[in-house]
Amino acid sequence: MADSVEAASRSLKDHTPKAITELVDKIIDGQIAEGLHDDSPLSFRDVGIIKKAFARRIMNMYHSRISYPDEPVTTKNTASAQTENAVAGPDKATDGDSASVTQ
């Protein structure tokens, strides 16, 4: 069941919960209709639980993340570092540049 559902989900163009649920139902119901699970001890309740679990898993695979706007580059951070270096003096530069430290 899992292999068929996972493979078929990769061909979906629409990854909405409705489309995924319909695909899972179609694949598993088709397998049952073909008699592929006739010898298994699965009940209809078990099949329903399996369908829900597969649909949730496929939805998690294809969920999209919220797009956050890029943070604008500000000169405040650069100006702040320059001020700290000026206050600290040449012997105590905070920018990590060891070449600017005089001894």
Side-chain angles (χ1 to χ4, degrees):
M1 283 185 199
D3 288 339
S4 298
V5 169
E6 189 269 335
S9 73
R10 295 192 181 276
S11 68
L12 278 177
K13 292 179 180 151
D14 182 19
H15 295 116
T16 62
K18 181 181 178 192
I20 291 170
T21 301
E22 288 174 356
L23 175 74
V24 170
D25 288 342
K26 177 183 168 187
I27 298 294
I28 294 176
D29 290 346
Q31 289 179 345
I32 291 170
E34 291 176 15
L36 295 178
H37 304 289
D38 285 350
D39 294 331
S40 74
L42 295 174
S43 68
F44 287 119
R45 181 173 181 257
D46 294 335
V47 171
I49 292 169
I50 291 167
K51 285 179 178 181
K52 287 179 186 176
F54 285 168
R56 275 195 315 268
R57 182 65 185 120
I58 299 296
M59 284 183 233
N60 286 337
M61 284 174 42
Y62 293 110
H63 82 282
S64 59
R65 298 200 179 267
I66 297 172
S67 115
Y68 293 99
D70 292 333
E71 289 187 35
V73 178
T74 61
T75 57
K76 181 179 178 182
N77 294 338
T78 305
S80 175
Q82 290 173 348
T83 303
E84 288 176 16
N85 286 341
V87 171
D91 294 345
K92 311 247 190 259
T94 59
D95 63 357
D97 184 9
S98 61
S100 65
V101 176
T102 58
Q103 293 188 15

